């Protein structure tokens, strides 16, 4: 079964906390495993914080967060109005920021970024298996590319 939810948040530093709370509540409704929820909440916070901090766009633009549960995989997308795609960087030991995308890369099963189909802005996303044992490398095979459709295929 395919389930999804979308939140529109103001481009404001408090929106990262709101996204954490919204995803934690949605994860309860979807009955996601606690370890998956904890990791997803951390990662959505990083992506929303990056969108609020780094998107140099006019005031009033929103950050959209879309969460989808499909075929044992949680996909979280964060979209903003900036066309600048994120690039991971290596933070120095004494840097107070700059590790968000490294966390996403280390903790998610997959992640990426692409321009939005509407012609402006970008979407940064990550995916995590919600199948028990998958975080230990026991993930079942995914359907073939021919059977996938939409943004996943």
């Amino acid at each position: 079964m395919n389930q999804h939810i979308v939140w529109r948040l103001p481009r404001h530093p408090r929106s990262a906390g709101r996204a954490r709370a919204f995803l934690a509540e949605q994860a309860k409704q979807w009955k996601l495993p606690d370890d998956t929820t904890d990791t997803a909440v951390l990662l959505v916070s990083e992506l929303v914080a990056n969108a609020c901090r780094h998107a140099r766009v006019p005031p009033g633009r929103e950050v959209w967060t879309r969460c989808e549960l499909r075929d044992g995989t949680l996909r979280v997308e964060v979209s903003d109005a900036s066309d600048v795609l994120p690039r991971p960087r290596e933070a120095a030991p004494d840097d107070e920021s700059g590790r968000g995308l490294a966390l996403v890369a280390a903790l998610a099963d997959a992640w990426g970024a692409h321009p939005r189909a509407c012609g402006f802005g970008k979407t940064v996303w990550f995916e995590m298996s919600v199948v028990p044992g998958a975080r230990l490398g026991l993930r079942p095979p995914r359907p073939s590319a021919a059977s996938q459709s939409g943004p996943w295929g």
Side-chain angles (χ1 to χ4, degrees), residues 74-89:
L74 173 67
R75 180 179 176 103
V76 177
E77 301 176 344
V78 176
S79 299
D80 64 55
S82 172
D83 293 329
V84 179
L85 295 176
R87 291 178 303 178
R89 67 181 185 93

Side-chain angles (χ1 to χ4, degrees), residues 96-150:
E96 293 183 14
S97 63
R99 293 174 182 83
L101 290 178
L103 277 173
V104 174
L107 299 176
D109 294 330
W111 80 278
H114 56 81
R116 291 176 58 196
C118 63
F120 69 93
K122 68 176 170 303
T123 297
V124 183
W125 58 269
F126 68 86
E127 292 181 352
M128 297 177 60
S129 176
V130 297
V131 177
R135 307 294 305 158
L136 303 173
L138 305 174
R139 184 179 188 155
R142 295 187 94 181
S144 69
S147 68
Q148 294 184 4
S149 62

Side-chain angles (χ1 to χ4, degrees), residues 25-110:
E25 183 59 34
Q26 187 62 47
K28 286 180 192 173
Q29 291 179 22
W30 284 344
K31 297 177 175 45
L32 299 182
D34 289 343
D35 62 332
T36 301
T37 299
D38 293 344
T39 302
V41 165
L42 171 67
L43 299 184
V44 75
S45 178
E46 291 294 335
L47 295 187
V48 170
N50 282 351
C52 292
R53 184 178 302 122
H54 300 297
R56 303 288 182 228
V57 296
R61 298 289 184 175
E62 295 175 316
V63 174
W64 288 42
T65 302
R66 182 177 191 277
C67 301
E68 182 175 16
L69 184 59
R70 178 173 155 191
D71 298 330
T73 299
L74 173 67
R75 180 179 176 103
V76 177
E77 301 176 344
V78 176
S79 299
D80 64 55
S82 172
D83 293 329
V84 179
L85 295 176
R87 291 178 303 178
R89 67 181 185 93
E90 202 164 314
D94 57 342
D95 286 348
E96 293 183 14
S97 63
R99 293 174 182 83
L101 290 178
L103 277 173
V104 174
L107 299 176
D109 294 330

